Amino acid sequence: MDLPKEIEILFRENSELAKKLSEEISKLTPKVIEKTGLERIKIMNFCGTHEWTTTHYGIRSLMPEEVELIAGPGCPVCVTPSSDIKNMIKLAMDGYVVYTFGDAYKLPTVSHYKEGIGSLASAKASGADVRIVYSFVDAIEDAKTHGKPSVFFGLGFETTAPSYAVLFKKEVIPKNLMFYSSLKLTAPAAIYAIKIHKMSKRSPVSGVIGPGHVSTIVGSKGWDFFPEEFGIPAVVSGFEPVDILTAVLTILKDLYTGKAKLTDLEYKRVVTRDGNIYAQDAVREIFRTTDTIWRGIGNIPNSGLDLRDPFKEFNAKLQLNIKENPWDYDLPPGCKCNEVTLGTAYPTDCPLFMKACTPSRPWGPCMVSLEGSCAVWARFGSSQRVLNLMKEVRE
Amino acid sequence: MRKMDKITIAHGNGGKETQQLLQRYLFSKLPEELKRTPGGVGIDYPDDGALVSNLVISTDSHTVNPYFFPGGSIGKLAVSGTLNDVIMMGGRPTAILDSIIVSEGFPLPSLDKIIDDMISVLREYKIPLIGGDFKVIPSDSMKGIVINTVGLGISKRPIVDKIRPGDSIIVTGPIGTHGAVIAALQYGIGTSLESDAKPLMKLLDLFEKFDQDIHAARDPTRGGLAATLNEWAQLSGEMIVVEEKKIPVLEEVKSISSMTGIDPLSLASEGVGVIALPSEKENEVLEELNKLGFTPAVIGRVLNPKDIENNSLVILRTLAGGTRILEMPVGDIVPRIC
Amino acid sequence: MCWAVPAKVISIESDLIATVDLGGNTIKKVAVGVDNVRLGDFVMVHAGVIISKLSKEEVIENIKFIAEQIREVSEITGEDPEKTVKEYTDSMYKLLGQLDEKNG
């Protein structure tokens, strides 16, 4: 038995089922609209990889016009504050070996650290030792081989936190490798986004696709506040096209019946209701909750993680005396990335979009990350354009 | 350009940044008459190489980290890559020149092995090496080795890429293999996969047999299939529609790319051709390619878009039956966690 | 965020480090972020750490969840729920059957 292959065939390459689900979505949509009185049905995801699946497999081209799939603050590249990047650049320029995931490598600061140096990529171009790694394990092994003072740029959400925690727990980190935590928690930001939406003039968020891999750790129950407190159906979904289409169909059904009380769990092959207790314990043991800054949004209380005291010798912020400045608005003037990230504005509402801010010369973080909404709109156009393309290639 | 802007690795990715950089700092500075010889093909037309009457000339600098990899080395790559560029212009390679730059401290046994690899390809295909250069650079200014090669070939009927509506797009084998091997080595992933680096000499028989029909031919190296198709769409103004399901990708390449989040369509192949030809000839060409030992597949077709907004686009029909624009690769090709 | 892929555990170095095959003999050393990992287990790997396990039974549960949604939606849109669900499950088991045949 080859389980990964089965998953590929059933959930990824299953265009027959994808077609069937998309037809069901089209049939159900007018009924939901009739029953709820909504003009448009806005469904928000909170995960960069859900956005990737949606874009990569052309899921928006399979939606009826009234169903809009939007990206919420789930892309760490879009929400990592400029000050963190600047701190990492400074460490790199001061001679530390800086380890980063590929995701944060190109991410720009608002103002340059020094002329010409506004990202880890440009710091590397200026001679700094910046190394892209696939995992924390790889960084540890590499740091052991050279012994030079090094810092790991610890990005991530609940999913990535255990990968650090289990290694700290077993005391395998070499003394020359420090850790800079930029870890964030999704739930506080999701609540923040939904509350903002309630106040905005745009049509509200009608449903939520819960982050599947964050949920492997926190469990699907982590999202029960959506239906319980906000009356919004939530579905924890996997990352294959069939998963996302099923999630959309489930949300539509929940909107129609109005019966959803708890989070629906589509991603049953990977996620449980209670999550990964082993990982939760490890994270609790190593990290404490802190307030943290989200790019363009500001401080969100209890939405970050940092190393606990017993591990302070590894904490780059403490050891290198990096001051955490209060949040300084970290978007370029005019940039609406904060509203776009929260889903309350469309990229085309921003005065900079495709004028001062383009994919080849991005200003705002939403244009930098390939999954950022602005970058997606710049490259693929609005949902309308995608539907238009679909007509062109239909046999 | 700001005063302190610097070159980054992304400028050399073979995708959008490379195109923009060259356009801005090179092509735009040259008057049209200095972009080619009279009646020839030059940098006015981005193809695999240049054409001076019936002489095909191509040059390429090769850098790869690491320089030895399963299935070859930078030496094998430097010779076969340039031979392939000549072949994809419809030229039968006649000779090659090389220029090797190594850094001070480079191990001599490695250089010896790299040059052996170059010569073994030249011997196999009986291609003379008629000139070259050798330089050493101080160790603080460069690491490793760079090999530039120039290939010369003669063509009775050069292939200057111009796709037309109604063309079928064929790949001669599974794509992205070389790029996946290199990504695996760089990110500590174990694999039994070997690079596909090899000269595509056999394709010359096909090109000669179907000399009226081959509208375009390219080997999708840096930037991968996505870059090749986008260049063709841009050059012609037509639209290319590709079926993701039909694009052959080895299981190992799929695993490496799904682990790192790198799209196989933007990974380099070093022993695969992409060909555009009228769809009526599709079956004959497939049959011939199979006879020559390839494992070809028809992956898409060329359309004249109804809506002018859709000119010069490459459209992918995804595995899920959805539709998206397949872009020119952008940025560094690096693994991701999100 | 959070890119993750399925893999098979092919060796266990310690309670912290294991080696996985991501398919086609694609091998990576990863950290163990779950309890009780065993040789031959199927797992999900994110950024070099095992974040959860996968099992055939749960894949079946996943298939059933989709069936349930199709049933409920059919009831709303006025289709025959038994018929649509049967069509769906037949096609899923047909795909699984083809795979089993291929693997002998």
Side-chain angles (χ1 to χ4, degrees):
Chain A
M1 180 191 64
D2 183 0
L3 211 45
K5 192 77 206 155
E6 281 184 20
I7 290 170
E8 199 177 308
I9 286 173
L10 294 172
F11 298 93
R12 182 180 305 167
E13 296 176 356
N14 195 345
S15 55
E16 196 189 326
L17 177 56
K19 186 159 173 267
K20 165 92 185 144
L21 290 166
S22 129
E23 284 165 4
E24 293 296 322
I25 289 169
S26 295
K27 273 186 236 163
L28 188 53
T29 300
K31 291 194 177 285
V32 175
I33 286 180
E34 195 189 339
K35 186 145 183 195
T36 58
L38 289 164
E39 267 174 49
R40 302 181 69 74
I41 299 159
K42 223 190 229 182
I43 296 174
M44 184 178 259
N45 68 60
F46 287 99
C47 173
T49 305
H50 273 146
E51 183 55 27
W52 181 89
T53 303
T54 305
T55 312
H56 189 81
Y57 293 105
I59 303 296
R60 288 193 175 88
S61 71
L62 300 172
M63 292 291 128
E65 254 181 70
E66 300 82 1
V67 176
E68 202 181 320
L69 304 181
I70 58 170
C75 156
V77 177
C78 301
V79 299
T80 297
S82 182
S83 53
D84 279 356
I85 310 288
K86 232 177 187 170
N87 288 337
M88 295 316 294
I89 292 175
K90 181 174 185 313
L91 294 174
M93 297 307 288
D94 287 350
Y96 289 90
V97 178
V98 166
Y99 293 99
T100 177
F101 293 126
D103 311 68
Y105 182 60
K106 262 203 330 178
L107 189 64
T109 52
V110 177
S111 56
H112 280 189
Y113 165 74
K114 221 161 77 180
E115 211 184 341
I117 305 177
S119 67
L120 284 169
S122 57
K124 180 160 188 271
S126 296
D129 195 346
V130 179
R131 303 185 188 187
I132 297 172
V133 284
Y134 168 71
S135 71
F136 192 39
V137 176
D138 289 355
I140 289 171
E141 296 214 328
D142 191 60
K144 276 185 191 161
T145 61
H146 59 68
K148 292 184 222 165
S150 311
V151 183
F152 187 89
F153 189 14
L155 271 188
F157 284 46
E158 290 90 333
T159 326
T160 321
S163 75
Y164 308 134
V166 293
L167 293 159
F168 273 108
K169 202 174 148 167
K170 302 283 179 184
E171 298 175 4
V172 294
I173 323 281
K175 293 271 181 256
N176 63 317
L177 180 63
M178 277 182 284
F179 184 83
Y180 183 104
S181 175
S182 195
L183 283 165
K184 294 194 165 26
L185 301 171
T186 28
I191 293 173
Y192 182 87
I194 293 297
K195 282 186 176 161
I196 294 270
H197 262 269
K198 292 227 151 195
M199 294 185 289
S200 92
K201 286 183 216 91
R202 298 252 185 219
S203 63
V205 170
S206 311
V208 163
I209 299 180
H213 291 140
V214 169
S215 305
T216 59
I217 309 298
V218 304
S220 67
K221 68 176 183 197
W223 313 103
D224 286 345
F225 64 84
F226 280 119
E228 279 174 356
E229 285 174 40
F230 299 99
I232 296 171
V235 182
V236 168
S237 157
F239 295 88
E240 303 298 348
V242 162
D243 295 320
I244 302 259
L245 289 164
T246 304
V248 171
L249 187 67
T250 307
I251 288 170
L252 291 173
K253 180 211 71 186
D254 286 348
L255 284 170
Y256 183 88
T257 61
K259 281 186 201 151
K261 292 284 174 287
L262 297 173
T263 307
D264 290 300
L265 177 53
E266 186 273 341
Y267 202 18
K268 284 186 191 283
R269 59 186 188 270
V270 169
V271 177
T272 59
R273 207 169 141 70
D274 292 326
N276 178 347
I277 307 289
Y278 178 83
Q280 286 171 17
D281 288 345
V283 170
R284 212 173 293 120
E285 187 181 329
I286 307 299
F287 294 105
R288 66 191 165 84
T289 310
T290 59
D291 296 353
T292 197
I293 292 165
W294 294 62
R295 187 166 194 160
I297 296 172
N299 186 50
I300 301 180
N302 296 320
S303 68
L305 294 174
D306 204 352
L307 289 171
R308 285 185 187 277
D309 279 350
F311 306 94
K312 65 179 176 214
E313 60 176 313
F314 295 104
N315 191 331
K317 289 179 194 169
L318 291 177
Q319 295 305 319
L320 304 172
N321 201 17
I322 297 167
K323 286 195 194 72
E324 293 216 55
N325 296 323
W327 181 58
D328 186 12
Y329 189 78
D330 56 354
L331 293 176
C335 172
K336 284 195 188 244
C337 196
N338 48 351
E339 291 172 49
V340 172
T341 302
L342 293 170
T344 55
Y346 293 122
T348 43
D349 294 334
C350 177
L352 304 181
F353 182 71
M354 295 315 277
K355 294 190 179 84
C357 184
T358 63
S360 57
R361 202 161 191 81
W363 271 81
C366 301
M367 191 63 97
V368 176
S369 158
L370 283 181
E371 277 77 53
S373 298
C374 292
V376 170
W377 278 51
R379 292 175 294 148
F380 305 108
S382 61
S383 317
Q384 197 53 50
R385 167 131 166 77
V386 175
L387 291 174
N388 182 22
L389 270 179
M390 190 77 177
K391 276 182 212 142
E392 189 97 60
V393 296
R394 197 165 280 153
E395 298 289 332
Chain B
M1 171 178 41
R2 298 189 199 102
K3 199 172 67 197
M4 296 292 288
D5 274 359
K6 290 190 168 74
I7 289 283
T8 64
I9 292 291
H11 286 122
N13 68 358
K16 218 172 221 168
E17 286 89 347
T18 311
Q19 263 189 345
Q20 284 168 346
L21 179 112
L22 290 177
Q23 179 55 38
R24 179 159 178 181
Y25 296 103
L26 183 59
F27 303 152
S28 66
K29 292 178 183 169
L30 268 177
E32 284 308 304
E33 71 272 18
L34 296 186
K35 286 183 177 171
R36 55 181 159 79
T37 56
V41 171
I43 61 174
D44 57 329
Y45 200 83
D47 211 309
D48 308 275
L51 196 62
V52 178
S53 76
N54 66 347
L55 179 66
V56 176
I57 312 155
S58 182
T59 181
D60 207 339
S61 293
H62 298 265
T63 70
V64 59
N65 172 31
Y67 34 81
F68 293 107
F69 47 82
S73 70
I74 188 169
K76 185 177 183 186
L77 200 63
V79 174
S80 42
T82 292
L83 291 177
N84 284 343
D85 285 344
V86 172
I87 293 164
M88 291 299 155
M89 290 286 284
R92 199 166 268 282
T94 45
I96 205 163
L97 295 87
D98 74 341
S99 172
I100 301 176
I101 305 173
V102 279
S103 66
E104 182 185 27
F106 192 86
L108 260 174
S110 298
L111 183 68
D112 186 33
K113 175 82 182 67
I114 288 168
I115 293 176
D116 282 350
D117 285 351
M118 292 174 69
I119 289 171
S120 118
V121 181
L122 296 172
R123 268 177 192 273
E124 186 177 348
Y125 297 96
K126 300 194 171 43
I127 311 286
L129 176 73
I130 57 169
D133 184 33
F134 183 83
K135 292 265 175 358
V136 179
I137 284 204
S139 59
D140 56 0
S141 47
M142 190 191 100
K143 276 184 208 138
I145 181 166
V146 176
I147 305 179
N148 173 277
T149 43
V150 175
L152 305 175
I154 302 292
S155 174
K156 280 187 228 120
R157 220 191 152 81
I159 303 168
V160 179
D161 294 354
K162 186 147 183 55
I163 56 167
R164 293 165 214 180
D167 279 358
S168 292
I169 308 279
I170 292 180
V171 293
T172 63
I175 59 140
T177 310
H178 176 75
V181 169
I182 299 300
L185 289 172
Q186 285 175 345
Y187 299 108
I189 303 166
T191 178
S192 42
L193 200 61
E194 291 198 349
S195 166
D196 59 351
K198 62 173 175 293
L200 291 160
M201 213 63 88
K202 282 185 193 156
L203 279 184
L204 284 168
D205 300 341
L206 179 92
F207 294 163
E208 277 158 23
K209 186 164 177 189
F210 293 90
D211 66 347
Q212 306 289 323
D213 301 314
I214 307 291
H215 292 163
R218 192 72 69 98
D219 63 326
T221 55
R222 195 178 47 157
L225 185 64
T228 295
L229 296 177
N230 270 288
E231 279 184 20
W232 283 356
Q234 287 167 15
L235 274 173
S236 64
E238 308 297 347
M239 181 172 181
I240 301 178
V241 181
V242 187
E243 299 285 333
E244 189 171 20
K245 220 170 236 177
K246 295 187 181 162
I247 303 173
V249 182
L250 295 175
E251 280 308 312
E252 292 90 337
V253 175
K254 276 192 201 171
S255 299
I256 292 167
S257 66
S258 80
M259 174 182 177
T260 52
I262 299 173
D263 191 348
L265 302 188
S266 60
L267 286 174
S269 302
E270 293 289 347
V272 172
V274 193
I275 304 165
L277 74 166
S279 51
E280 335 46 291
K281 296 283 173 156
E282 191 183 290
N283 289 333
E284 278 177 68
V285 169
L286 285 176
E287 199 181 313
E288 185 67 24
L289 280 168
N290 277 313
K291 253 190 246 162
L292 293 169
F294 292 97
T295 48
V298 179
I299 60 164
R301 62 208 151 86
V302 181
L303 293 181
N304 184 238
K306 291 177 207 110
D307 185 341
I308 194 163
E309 278 238 316
N310 298 335
N311 279 358
S312 307
L313 285 183
V314 181
I315 304 298
L316 189 74
R317 292 291 303 254
T318 71
L319 292 176
T323 301
R324 76 169 159 107
I325 298 171
L326 177 66
E327 302 162 277
M328 192 71 167
V330 250
D332 306 289
I333 297 172
V334 293
R336 38 189 279 204
I337 62 153
C338 55
Chain C
M1 73 179 284
C2 306
W3 187 260
V5 286
K8 186 179 188 172
V9 177
I10 54 165
S11 81
I12 297 173
E13 276 77 42
S14 66
D15 56 354
L16 183 63
I17 300 288
T19 303
V20 295
D21 182 350
L22 294 112
N25 211 10
T26 302
I27 309 298
K28 185 77 193 168
K29 206 169 162 186
V30 295
V32 178
V34 294
D35 218 357
N36 251 332
V37 80
R38 279 189 299 263
L39 213 58
D41 277 354
F42 286 99
V43 293
M44 292 299 286
V45 175
H46 158 77
V49 63
I50 295 172
I51 54 168
S52 74
K53 292 194 200 177
L54 264 171
S55 74
K56 177 92 176 180
E57 293 71 45
E58 285 148 354
V59 171
I60 302 289
E61 286 304 309
N62 212 153
I63 294 174
K64 282 188 194 157
F65 177 86
I66 300 174
E68 191 48 37
Q69 304 314 306
I70 289 177
R71 174 189 308 279
E72 291 177 29
V73 170
S74 299
E75 280 162 7
I76 299 169
T77 55
E79 288 160 279
D80 178 354
E82 298 311 319
K83 187 166 155 266
T84 47
V85 169
K86 189 172 181 320
E87 274 170 13
Y88 159 77
T89 36
D90 285 354
S91 81
M92 289 300 253
Y93 287 105
K94 199 174 123 202
L95 285 173
L96 276 176
Q98 283 167 357
L99 196 70
D100 287 344
E101 258 169 47
K102 234 191 274 173
N103 294 341

